[in-house]
Amino acid sequence: MIKCLTDIEQAGRIMRSARILTVFSILLLAAAIPAAAQRTRKPAPRPTPTPARVAINPVVAAAKQQVANQLSNVNLFVDRMGPIAVAIEGLDRDAQARRAKKEAIDANELNKKKVIAAIKGLREGLVTLESDFRTKPQLTKYLIQIQGVADLCARSEDSAIAGRFVASKDPLRQVAQKLSDTMAVLPK
């Protein structure tokens, strides 16, 4: 009987151990399931779409370069013309008041002719540019932005011929604005 009792006690211990192991196994399994659920698969890399290159028309590309060149020329001219125009008009006032020397008056007349010739040169380039926009079918849709630059440059030339050199910069500033607007609408 004692042996039977010890066997029963031993079987009870084994049963308790088995229950504990079963509970422990269930707990381990329960802990492993959420850990597996937390693992995320890396999504398959999606190729990034590259925008299709828009083929720019060579005529439009060349026109854009010409507009950029003319814009640079006009801006450079206006920047340099400012002090020169003030000096020319100042010497004119001094000449009218008979306070200027003959050499200064002669140099001033030469400077006036150079400025007027430079404005004429600007105007020729702008006339050619505006003419290209009028005659080339690829550029006609951009004509509205550039239209009138040659007339504005002619106004500047007329002001310079009349001796109003400082005032002749204003139409050129408008030309620069129109050229900038044209650059903004031309495709990149």
Side-chain angles (χ1 to χ4, degrees), residues 28-173:
L28 279 178
L29 184 63
I33 290 173
Q38 289 178 0
R39 291 187 194 136
T40 58
R41 291 185 181 178
K42 290 183 181 176
R46 293 182 185 163
T48 56
T50 54
R53 289 196 167 205
V54 178
I56 189 167
N57 188 322
V59 173
V60 175
K64 186 169 184 165
Q65 184 62 45
Q66 289 172 339
V67 171
N69 290 343
Q70 289 300 325
L71 178 61
S72 175
N73 291 342
V74 169
N75 284 333
L76 184 66
F77 184 78
V78 168
D79 290 343
R80 288 187 177 174
M81 186 177 166
I84 294 170
V86 170
I88 288 173
E89 288 186 6
L91 271 171
D92 277 348
R93 283 191 297 274
D94 288 346
Q96 287 176 351
R98 300 186 191 253
R99 290 181 290 190
K101 295 182 180 178
K102 173 84 170 121
E103 300 84 32
I105 294 172
D106 292 341
N108 194 36
E109 290 301 318
L110 183 63
N111 287 337
K112 286 180 187 180
K113 289 177 184 174
K114 286 181 182 178
V115 169
I116 292 169
I119 294 174
K120 282 182 183 179
L122 270 178
R123 188 171 126 228
E124 289 172 5
L126 292 171
V127 165
T128 302
L129 183 65
E130 191 173 342
S131 174
D132 285 349
F133 275 76
R134 286 184 196 283
T135 58
K136 294 181 179 173
Q138 300 92 337
L139 301 176
T140 54
K141 62 182 173 181
Y142 308 111
L143 178 62
I144 190 101
Q145 281 80 22
I146 203 165
Q147 193 169 12
V149 292
D151 294 336
L152 287 168
C153 196
R155 251 194 271 161
S156 175
E157 185 180 348
D158 291 343
S159 292
I161 290 171
R164 298 185 318 266
F165 290 92
V166 174
S168 69
K169 292 188 311 181
D170 293 333
L172 292 177
R173 287 189 183 117

